[in-house]
């Protein structure tokens, strides 16, 4: 058996992975959107703590807050999680596509 050949078992595993990982990937995408959008609310909350300053001063202080920096870490982690799942799913789709192409080529040769 050739080592570079994609088997039907490989394809089934890829299809199963796509099905089984769909919820996890959707949750990761939702988390990424949430933390990205919440950044705006958090900035406003932190700026409000420095209401005595001009807008630019409020913004500077909000960005300097530890809570804001921690939120940026949360965005980083959510982005990593989602992108990792997305790339794994794309890899599974590529395997299925390659198998379909190989199968079509084999059928064409037999005709």
């Amino acid at each position: 058996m050739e080592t570079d050949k994609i088997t039907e078992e490989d394809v089934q595993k890829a299809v199963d992975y796509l099905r089984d990982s769909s919820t996890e990937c959707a949750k990761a995408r939702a988390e990424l959107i949430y933390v990205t959008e919440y950044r705006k609310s958090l900035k406003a909350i932190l700026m409000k703590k420095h209401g005595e300053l001009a807008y630019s001063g409020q913004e500077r202080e909000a960005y300097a807050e530890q809570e804001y920096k921690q939120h940026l870490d949360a965005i980083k982690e959510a982005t990593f999680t989602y992108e990792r799942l997305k790339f794994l799913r794309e890899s599974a789709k590529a395997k299925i596509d390659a198998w379909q192409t190989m199968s079509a080529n084999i059928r064409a040769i037999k005709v």
Side-chain angles (χ1 to χ4, degrees):
M1 183 165 137
E2 298 176 30
T3 58
D4 60 345
K5 184 175 180 184
I6 300 170
T7 66
E8 288 186 30
E9 182 180 338
D10 294 333
V11 173
Q12 188 59 52
K13 286 179 184 177
V15 170
D16 291 345
Y17 174 75
L18 290 173
R19 180 197 62 230
D20 296 343
S21 67
S22 61
T23 299
E24 182 182 10
C25 190
K27 285 180 181 178
R29 174 84 171 129
E31 178 68 12
L32 175 58
I33 291 169
Y34 174 79
V35 295
T36 300
E37 292 301 315
Y38 182 71
R39 180 184 58 80
K40 298 170 193 171
S41 296
L42 180 59
K43 178 183 170 189
I45 291 165
L46 296 174
M47 285 177 70
K48 192 173 180 182
K49 290 167 82 175
H50 304 282
E52 74 285 355
L53 300 174
Y55 180 85
S56 61
Q58 292 175 20
E59 187 174 45
R60 180 192 65 237
E61 294 302 316
Y63 287 146
E65 292 269 355
Q66 185 61 31
E67 189 176 355
Y68 191 84
K69 293 174 190 175
Q70 289 171 339
H71 191 73
L72 292 178
D73 286 339
I75 292 172
K76 177 182 171 184
E77 185 62 33
T79 301
F80 173 80
T81 299
Y82 172 68
E83 292 296 327
R84 181 174 106 0
L85 288 168
K86 184 175 85 171
F87 292 141
L88 288 171
R89 289 177 57 81
E90 287 173 2
S91 175
K93 289 176 188 176
K95 184 178 282 187
I96 294 166
D97 291 345
W99 177 80
Q100 289 173 329
T101 300
M102 287 173 28
S103 296
N105 289 342
I106 290 170
R107 283 192 303 276
I109 291 170
K110 289 181 179 179
V111 172

